[in-house]
């Protein structure tokens, strides 16, 4: 692994370890690039509502400032990138962008943890056999990719569909085809792989291989030691090669300035 663009910090309330330790772990693994992509803040319309798994808007200056300092300190040893992992919430996204554009952010990853505008309470990881929800996930994530603002699609198979396999395949293929046309890489998520979650889903990755999409490994590190795990990476590469997939080592970032 030469680059990992998916790492978190404790600001999201479910990650641990100082940023510096993530950088040190990346250096141990010989990574040449490390990207931080903590869960973005958001501005919600519902009074009193705030998701517990993301930083608050007022924490963003400290997040960016801390990483700018580390970038300077570690310059010449590793390239540090400052990004965010963001859901695409149609009603709330424009205001978020206005805020984010005030900061020198190198990229956004799409991580669609909830549907609609989150406050409706439809979460991608809740198992369902309802095709309408799968269709909603497909439509919403494709709309996000069409904005051209996302560098890659993190855990694209996060949606937990328990219904008919043929239905699943049809929706997945549509996502893969459009991502390929837009030249947006799909992430094989190493955290889900390590924790044996419902993703990465082999049924998804088989289609990715058939469609010939660009694929990148993402550590999704919520602890410094998870930035680079050579045994896990080897297992992931073996699984992917069975689907004819060879992940790319690096990607071009899309700054949101
Ligand atoms: Zn997380
Ligand atoms: Zn993540």
């Amino acid at each position: 692994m030469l680059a990992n663009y998916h790492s978190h910090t404790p600001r999201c309330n479910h990650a641990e370890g100082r940023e510096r330790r993530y950088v040190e772990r990346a250096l141990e693994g010989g990574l040449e690039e490390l990207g931080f992509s903590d869960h973005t803040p958001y501005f919600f319309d519902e009074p009193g509502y705030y998701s517990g798994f993301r930083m608050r808007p007022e924490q963003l200056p400290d997040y960016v400032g801390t990483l700018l300092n580390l970038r300077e300190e570690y310059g010449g040893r590793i390239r540090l990138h400052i990004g965010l992992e963001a859901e695409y919430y149609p009603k709330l996204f424009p205001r978020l962008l206005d805020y984010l554009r005030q900061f020198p952010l190198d990229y956004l990853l799409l991580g669609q943890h909830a549907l609609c505008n989150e406050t409706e309470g439809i979460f991608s990881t809740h198992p369902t056999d309802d095709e309408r929800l799968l269709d909603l996930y497909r439509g919403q994530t494709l709309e996000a990719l069409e904005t051209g603002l996302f560098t890659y699609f993190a855990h694209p198979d996060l949606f937990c569909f328990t219904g008919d396999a043929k239905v699943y395949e049809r929706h997945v293929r549509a996502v893969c085809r459009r991502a390929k046309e837009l030249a947006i890489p799909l992430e094989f998520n190493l955290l889900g792989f390590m924790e044996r979650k419902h993703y990465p889903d082999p049924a998804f990755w088989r289609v990715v291989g058939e469609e010939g999409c660009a694929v990148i490994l993402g550590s999704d590190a919520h602890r410094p030691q998870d930035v680079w795990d050579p045994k896990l990476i080897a297992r992931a590469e073996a699984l992917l090669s069975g689907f004819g997939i060879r992940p790319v080592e690096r990607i071009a970032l899309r700054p949101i300035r």
Side-chain angles (χ1 to χ4, degrees):
M1 183 181 255
L2 295 179
N4 165 49
Y5 305 97
H6 196 163
S7 323
H8 291 273
T9 79
R11 290 172 193 77
C12 67
N13 304 315
H14 63 279
E16 60 184 56
R18 303 285 300 271
E19 296 83 356
R20 175 183 302 282
R21 293 186 46 225
Y22 288 71
V23 178
E24 294 288 345
R25 180 63 179 170
L27 287 169
E28 276 171 40
L31 272 68
E32 295 172 5
E33 296 181 48
L34 176 66
F36 283 86
S37 51
D38 208 359
H39 296 277
T40 186
Y42 242 112
F43 297 92
F44 294 97
D45 289 341
E46 306 254 319
Y49 178 85
Y50 202 78
S51 19
F53 60 90
R54 62 177 79 257
M55 72 176 82
R56 290 190 169 264
E58 59 269 25
Q59 290 178 289
L60 190 59
D62 174 66
Y63 173 71
V64 173
T66 301
L67 295 175
L68 284 172
N69 286 338
L70 286 173
R71 175 188 284 172
E72 189 166 320
E73 182 182 335
Y74 285 88
R77 297 169 67 192
I78 190 166
R79 288 177 59 202
L80 291 187
H81 305 295
I82 308 171
L84 291 168
E85 176 179 13
E87 297 80 4
Y88 175 70
Y89 296 145
K91 200 167 58 147
L92 311 176
F93 197 62
R95 177 160 182 212
L96 174 65
L97 273 181
D98 282 347
Y99 182 61
L100 298 186
R101 285 197 166 112
Q102 299 171 43
F103 299 89
L105 292 170
D106 299 314
Y107 66 105
L108 289 181
L109 302 183
L110 176 64
Q112 194 69 36
H113 301 95
L115 299 180
C116 301
N117 295 287
E118 189 173 304
T119 46
E120 296 83 354
I122 310 169
F123 289 90
S124 303
T125 51
H126 288 177
T128 178
D129 60 2
D130 188 342
E131 186 183 354
R132 287 170 303 176
L133 293 181
L134 176 61
D135 190 48
L136 191 60
Y137 180 81
R138 171 178 87 159
Q140 197 162 337
T141 55
L142 283 183
E143 193 176 314
L145 298 183
E146 300 284 351
T147 66
L149 292 165
F150 292 95
T151 284
Y152 80 54
F153 190 176
H155 38 59
D157 45 352
L158 187 68
F159 190 85
C160 188
F161 186 66
T162 55
D164 188 81
K166 284 222 161 39
V167 168
Y168 183 68
E169 181 183 329
R170 183 157 43 81
H171 287 270
V172 162
R173 200 172 291 282
V175 170
C176 290
R177 286 198 177 152
R178 193 65 189 131
K180 188 181 178 187
E181 285 165 4
L182 295 168
I184 296 176
L186 304 176
E187 178 206 70
F188 184 90
N189 189 270
L190 292 170
L191 178 66
F193 191 53
M194 176 175 74
E195 296 187 343
R196 299 176 189 279
K197 295 180 194 267
H198 67 276
Y199 62 93
D201 183 343
F204 183 94
W205 292 94
R206 182 176 57 74
V207 176
V208 172
E210 287 168 5
E211 296 296 331
C213 302
V215 173
I216 178 104
L217 300 181
S219 302
D220 200 357
H222 288 71
R223 303 179 302 178
Q225 64 263 42
D226 295 335
V227 165
W228 173 70
D229 179 342
K231 284 191 189 133
L232 190 69
I233 293 167
R235 277 209 293 128
E237 287 178 338
L239 185 141
L240 288 171
S241 83
F243 295 119
I245 298 168
R246 199 190 145 95
V248 298
E249 287 284 2
R250 322 160 184 275
I251 50 174
L253 301 177
R254 300 177 188 228
I256 59 158
R257 273 147 227 164

